[in-house]
Amino acid sequence: MKIAVLPGDGIGPEIVAQAVKVLDRLQADGLKIEMEYAPIGGAGYEAAGDPLPEATLKLSQAADAVLLGAVGDWKYDSLPRDQRPERGLLRIRKALNLFANLRPALLYPELASASTLKPEVVAGLDLMIVRELTGDIYFGQPRGIATLENGEREGINTMRYNESEIRRIGRVAFDIAMKRNKKVCSIDKANVLETTELWRQVMVELAKDYPEVELSHMYVDNAAMQLVRAPRQFDVMVTENMFGDILSDCAAMLTGSIGMLPSASLDANNKGMYEPSHGSAPDIAGKDVANPLATILSVAMMFKYSFNDAATFNRIDHAVKKVIAAGYRTADIWTEGTSKVSCSGMGDAVVAAL
Ligand code: NAD
């Protein structure tokens, strides 16, 4: 298993180091894992003047899976847009054709009180957000900031999807639902946006291939409200790029902290990039306080989705559950009566539990 390791910026290197400890431990137990590092984001810009250096892309293309920390730092905000860290992330997703982003939001019972919502609202939460990742307004052309004839500036982005892009992400969602509770809620804004009117039509057509799955539709504004009102009504939510970006952060808070949320981004052959759902958290970078569990759980997803190794997925998953049950908490999920640990302390605890 060849893994390209791209730590990135901010807390990226700290959290990835904990995930690598887990991989080292699995390797010591006999799994054949090769890891090679490369810079991305601000680190890529510093190393090669490009947020996605050619060598990083080549390494990632040759690997069986990519482990990514996070990219971004405020100090790069004044760079031209195509040199900013976040462009590196968008470009690697596009170059590897990672169109399906899976973001499970699962509440560990012991963390119910770490959520800002009432425990009875979030208890038992287990939902999967399937987000389209390579289309929509984040990639659509034309885009830019133009100057009009009267000298006023105008910002332009273009929301667009073709039906094959919608169908392939829809299929991923229906396939996942078949292995879960057989419910798909498709999120759109079909009342005002033609792009998502087409989205809804394609989902309805696709549902005919999955008679066992119950398909429902919800407007994105209502979905945001329902996620905090009654999140357990959802099993699989499928949505386009921008809505998914926003709703998955909202879902993160249901679980107590964005530091708990892993993600997998897959191509059509299940090659994937695995990264926490959060960003580079420059406010806490370098302090050894970040929560590494989202990154460690992303490694677990790597075994499930790219390496087809359910046993290793379960092993990592159980180790994390054990550590939470034993009361270890990083600052973001700490509550009275539990033991506060650092980022590296949490990594060590998971390795010990493995
Ligand atoms: P963020 O996710 O980095 O941070 C939001 C808040 O959550 C911060 O208070 C942060 O301290 C906290 N947080 C995030 N991860 C945490 C963890 N593991 N443990 C504990 N607390 C954690 O989002 P932001 O502040 O909006 O963005 C910061 C930078 O990250 C920006 O440059 C942005 O573009 C970038 N970003 C990158 C990604 C990515 O790499 N996938 C995603 C989102 C934002």
Side-chain angles (χ1 to χ4, degrees), residues 68-100:
L68 182 112
V71 300
D73 192 296
W74 301 310
K75 70 179 177 196
Y76 301 112
D77 282 356
S78 54
L79 284 176
R81 190 160 288 277
D82 62 347
Q83 287 171 16
R84 286 190 209 159
E86 295 75 8
R87 288 302 297 173
L89 193 58
L90 294 182
R91 277 169 52 206
I92 196 171
R93 287 173 178 166
K94 192 79 175 174
L96 298 180
N97 214 359
L98 305 173
F99 70 90

Side-chain angles (χ1 to χ4, degrees), residues 11 70-73 86 89 258 275 278-284 291 332:
I11 59 170
V71 300
D73 192 296
E86 295 75 8
L89 193 58
I258 197 160
E275 55 177 316
H278 57 75
S280 55
D283 52 333
I284 56 168
N291 186 344
D332 55 313

